[in-house]
Amino acid sequence: MSNDKLQMTNKAKEVLKIECQAIKDLISHVNNSFIKALDLIYNCQGRVVVTGVGKGGIIGQKFSATLSSTGTASLWLHSAEAIHGDLGRIKKEDIVIFFSYSGSTEEITKLVPLVKKIGSKIVSFTGNIKSNLAKYSDIVLNVKVNKEACPWDIVPTSSTTAMLAMSDALAVCLIEKRGFKKEDFAFLHPGGMLGKKLLLKVEDIMRKDEANPIIDENSLVKDALIAITKARAGAATIINKKRELLGIFTDGDLRRHFDSNVDISCKKIKKVMTKNPITINKEKLAAEALSILRDKKIDEIPVVDKNNHPVGMLDVQDLLKSGLV
């Protein structure tokens, strides 16, 4: 490795160590103020308005988005916009959370007394507990770091990492305190992969009716093949007179019996099917079906109801089309 590459590698490791230490130092700052902030937000009758400027403001935007997606009504309000006409978004019953490491930027300094006049409670994430922001806050969360990770100790690096970590800690504690469940999270993310994993059920994407050939156990293999071809399917489920699932007949079963050099077209399907196949209930999540297909290295899985009656077939292609894979 060249000297330049070695120097940059060491510098990157140094940055990570500095920022890692900054987070570790926050542990001692998780104190009664943290609990008060947690309770205040939990009991908020309005919304959590998050504000800030610069790099700290960007962290605030992320915090507001995290709150909104985990059951706490929140909105982001840029401090400069607030003092230029958007102050009306803040109501007395709201909580206003400021993100400002210095606690003394011009926009923040102008906004704080206006929020106090409205009557909203103020929580601040700051590294300067002697700032005007800290002085007029109802609760201060100290995110002070020993130094920034840049060569001049001025570029927001460790400080923004500390803000992010402390705000994440607060957001996760709120999740626990609210009893917010993954199903609730999925409800707020219906269009993304998270929503699909948590909400999409087997019955939503399974093949059914004409696309799901169901064959009587005494039918001939050639009749089963015709039904599979007509349905443009890759397999058929085999049932008894009570319509209970007995087995599955797939392309793999057909190939295995062709290898025996015996004409199977006139054999009964029950003689060549795979007995007692793995199944899944239609009410199960599609993500669970995907896990079964992967673990068992199979391409199709029969879908059954509570009486073990086949009601559909789930193919790996169905999971691909749903976007789950």
Side-chain angles (χ1 to χ4, degrees):
M1 185 180 290
S2 67
N3 289 336
D4 181 64
K5 290 181 178 179
L6 180 60
Q7 182 181 358
M8 291 300 99
T9 299
N10 290 336
K11 173 56 67 174
K13 292 179 179 179
E14 179 186 354
V15 169
L16 293 175
K17 288 179 181 178
I18 292 172
E19 298 205 16
C20 180
Q21 187 60 50
I23 294 177
K24 288 182 178 179
D25 291 343
L26 288 180
I27 295 174
S28 62
H29 295 168
V30 179
N31 49 29
N32 193 47
S33 292
F34 183 93
I35 299 302
K36 285 182 177 179
L38 177 65
D39 290 339
L40 185 66
I41 297 172
Y42 178 76
N43 293 306
C44 179
Q45 298 301 305
R47 300 157 304 171
V48 177
V49 180
V50 182
T51 189
V53 293
K55 306 302 185 296
I58 293 173
I59 301 302
Q61 289 184 58
K62 188 271 179 187
F63 178 58
S64 179
T66 300
L67 291 181
S68 296
S69 67
T70 53
T72 299
S74 177
L75 66 85
W76 158 252
L77 177 61
H78 195 285
S79 300
E81 299 296 335
I83 60 176
H84 287 283
D86 286 353
L87 191 62
R89 297 185 182 187
I90 303 175
K91 303 299 180 184
K92 182 178 181 179
E93 61 270 20
D94 296 337
I95 295 170
V96 181
I97 300 184
F98 285 81
F99 278 74
S100 176
Y101 188 74
S102 70
S104 59
T105 57
E106 181 181 355
E107 297 88 349
I108 297 293
T109 300
K110 289 181 178 180
L111 181 56
V112 169
L114 298 174
V115 174
K116 297 296 286 187
K117 185 175 181 179
I118 292 171
S120 305
K121 294 291 186 180
I122 295 177
V123 176
S124 60
F125 283 76
T126 184
N128 184 2
I129 60 174
K130 295 182 179 180
S131 63
N132 280 335
L133 172 60
K135 179 180 178 181
Y136 293 113
S137 295
D138 294 283
I139 301 171
V140 178
L141 296 178
N142 187 356
V143 291
K144 182 176 176 54
V145 298
N146 287 328
K147 63 177 178 177
E148 301 287 7
C150 77
W152 313 286
D153 191 23
I154 56 175
V155 178
T157 47
S158 303
S159 58
T160 48
T161 298
M163 283 183 173
L164 177 64
M166 184 68 90
S167 62
D168 278 346
L170 187 57
V172 171
C173 287
L174 280 166
I175 291 173
E176 293 284 338
K177 195 173 181 67
R178 293 193 189 285
F180 195 78
K181 300 180 176 61
K182 65 179 182 180
E183 290 80 11
D184 302 319
F185 187 72
F187 177 77
L188 298 175
H189 297 73
M193 184 57 67
L194 290 170
K196 287 182 178 179
K197 285 184 176 180
L198 295 172
L199 293 178
L200 194 65
K201 291 184 178 181
V202 168
E203 64 181 335
D204 295 328
I205 58 174
M206 69 182 186
R207 304 184 186 196
K208 53 187 178 182
D209 303 326
E210 293 83 4
N212 176 42
I214 299 175
I215 310 298
D216 181 84
E217 62 179 319
N218 292 310
S219 297
L220 300 180
V221 171
K222 63 180 182 179
D223 296 325
L225 291 174
I226 292 172
I228 292 173
T229 302
K230 184 178 180 180
R232 296 184 179 181
T237 46
I238 316 303
I239 59 172
N240 59 20
K241 291 181 179 180
K242 296 181 180 180
R243 294 194 61 80
E244 296 168 333
L245 179 71
L246 295 179
I248 185 173
F249 183 73
T250 67
D251 290 339
D253 294 314
L254 181 62
R255 288 193 298 272
R256 281 189 290 273
H257 285 86
F258 266 141
D259 291 342
S260 64
N261 295 319
V262 176
D263 181 11
I264 66 167
S265 62
C266 291
K267 278 191 172 184
K268 289 185 177 182
I269 194 72
K270 64 182 179 181
K271 298 292 186 182
V272 296
M273 69 180 183
T274 296
K275 298 179 180 179
N276 302 315
I278 297 168
T279 63
I280 191 167
N281 188 275
K282 66 178 183 177
E283 297 292 332
K284 294 291 186 178
L285 294 175
E288 185 175 340
L290 174 61
S291 178
I292 293 173
L293 291 174
R294 283 176 171 171
D295 292 344
K296 302 299 181 181
K297 295 181 172 57
I298 54 178
D299 293 327
E300 300 95 2
I301 182 169
V303 183
V304 296
D305 61 18
K306 62 182 181 180
N307 297 314
N308 199 37
H309 294 163
V311 293
M313 180 75 74
L314 194 60
D315 188 284
V316 67
Q317 296 299 322
D318 304 318
L319 294 166
L320 286 170
K321 290 178 182 178
S322 73
L324 192 61
V325 180

